[in-house]
């Protein structure tokens, strides 16, 4: 047992950081990995091996998914500079993640062990603060991997070690049925309506680590309606290091990402089509077209792939040219307006076709 506790002190303290592992202007979804106790933003996930999560994400989704990994200091003992409480660490991590508020793409979190508790507490915090509403809207999915939603019996042994161990906030919080974690568990069970079978996954360990099952069945389930915990032939350490894209860990993430992208494109595609229909009506009826009528297209350029943003940009240009021609009497003006109108209508028709084809890909 104490071999487990001793291993928890080996990692040196690090500053909280976000490591952007892959990025692209064409990214439609951001995946953020959050490690747990004694974790590392690279080694915990096997990013130092090949192939790994990043390899398979690139193979299946190309540049449509960006990958980041969060690193932070977490220990069960003050002998190794200790660790923040879950509330302080959540605030700390949120300040790092807030820089992603400048992006518009949805975020899927992959959380191992204590990282899952941090995610839930951050999710709780953004419910309480109006200025974080935008970030809340961008949380699109989560994959919990061996997260102790009710705590862990293994952490109770740290308490038994008493003053000799000098336990931190984390050591106490991770004990089975700790009041802080129990309260968070109850809150999340009653406020997890965002998550469902299409955008959430739960994986649980089945093999012992140093002779002990770190997270048992009852603690591995966060209580998301319609989402059943899936058993994995791995221990607490190796469960987040799949060796193949066909293992259940990556298959779970692949399913979540595909569903998140499908839902996003379906929603944005419907909104874009509604906007295009309004523009088509203005063109066909000869109504006056102001620039603000088509400037709304700008937001869609940050939502869809680059191939589609080029079509949006072309439509914007044709509409600008058409709207810039003053209404007047004379064949020259009439011919010029008619010519630009045809270009705008053709560009609009091509964009609508591209949106329909994009939807058929999913």
């Amino acid at each position: 047992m104490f071999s487990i506790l001793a291993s928890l002190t080996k990692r040196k303290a690090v500053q909280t950081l976000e490591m952007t592992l892959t990025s692209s202007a064409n990214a439609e979804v951001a995946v953020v990995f959050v490690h747990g106790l004694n974790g590392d933003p690279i080694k915990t996930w096997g990013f130092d091996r090949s192939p790994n999560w990043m390899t398979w994400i690139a193979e299946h989704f190309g540049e449509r998914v960006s990958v980041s990994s969060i690193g932070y200091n977490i220990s069960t003992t003050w002998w190794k500079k200790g660790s923040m409480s879950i509330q302080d660490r959540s605030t700390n991590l949120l300040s790092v993640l807030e820089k992603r508020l400048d992006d518009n793409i949805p975020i899927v979190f992959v959380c191992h062990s204590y990282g899952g508790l941090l995610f839930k507490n951050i999710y709780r915090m953004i419910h309480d603060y109006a200025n974080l509403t935008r970030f809340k809207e961008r949380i699109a999915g989560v994959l919990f991997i061996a997260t102790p939603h009710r705590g862990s019996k293994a952490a109770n042994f740290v308490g038994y070690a008493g003053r000799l161990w000098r336990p931190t906030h984390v050591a106490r919080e991770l004990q089975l049925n700790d009041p802080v974690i129990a309260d968070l568990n109850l809150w999340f069970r009653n406020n997890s309506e965002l998550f469902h079978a299409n955008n959430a996954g739960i994986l649980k360990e089945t093999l012992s680590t140093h002779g002990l099952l770190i997270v048992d069945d009852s603690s591995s389930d966060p209580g998301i309606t319609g989402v059943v915990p899936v058993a994995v032939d791995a221990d607490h350490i190796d469960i987040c290091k799949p060796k193949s894209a066909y293992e259940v860990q990556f298959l779970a993430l692949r399913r979540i990402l595909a569903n998140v992208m499908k839902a996003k494109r379906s929603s944005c595609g419907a909104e874009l089509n509604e906007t295009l229909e309004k523009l088509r009506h203005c063109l066909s009826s000869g109504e006056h077209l102001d620039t603000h009528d088509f400037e709304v297209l700008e937001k869609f350029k940050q939502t869809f792939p680059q191939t589609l943003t080029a079509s949006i940009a072309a439509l914007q240009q044709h509409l600008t040219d058409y709207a810039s021609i003053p209404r007047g009497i004379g064949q020259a003006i009439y011919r010029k307006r008619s010519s630009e109108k045809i270009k705008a209508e053709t560009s609009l028709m091509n964009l609508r076709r591209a949106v329909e084809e994009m939807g058929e890909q999913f």
Side-chain angles (χ1 to χ4, degrees), residues 29-74:
V29 180
V31 176
V32 178
F33 288 83
V34 186
H35 68 72
L37 188 63
N38 197 39
D40 181 272
I42 299 297
K43 294 180 180 179
T44 289
W45 308 102
F47 289 139
D48 54 339
R49 307 175 181 178
S50 184
N52 57 54
W53 295 88
M54 287 189 296
T55 309
W56 306 317
I57 289 174
E59 288 176 352
H60 287 86
F61 299 102
E63 296 184 345
R64 291 181 293 167
V65 177
S66 66
V67 180
S68 297
S69 187
I70 297 292
Y72 60 97
N73 181 49
I74 179 169

Side-chain angles (χ1 to χ4, degrees), residues 244-270:
S244 164
Y246 300 101
E247 292 189 18
V248 66
Q249 297 95 313
F250 180 72
L251 291 177
L253 178 59
R254 177 184 173 184
R255 172 184 56 80
I256 292 171
L257 289 174
N259 287 331
V260 166
M261 283 190 280
K262 182 177 181 179
K264 175 195 170 188
R265 289 186 171 188
S266 177
S267 174
C268 292

Side-chain angles (χ1 to χ4, degrees), residues 1 19 40 43 47 54 62 65 71 76 78 168 189 198 216 224 227 247 292 309 329:
M1 174 52 58
M19 301 183 66
D40 181 272
K43 294 180 180 179
F47 289 139
M54 287 189 296
V65 177
T76 58
W78 287 107
T168 62
R189 284 174 178 266
N198 287 337
D216 61 26
I224 300 174
V227 183
E247 292 189 18
H292 71 266
T309 60
I329 301 175

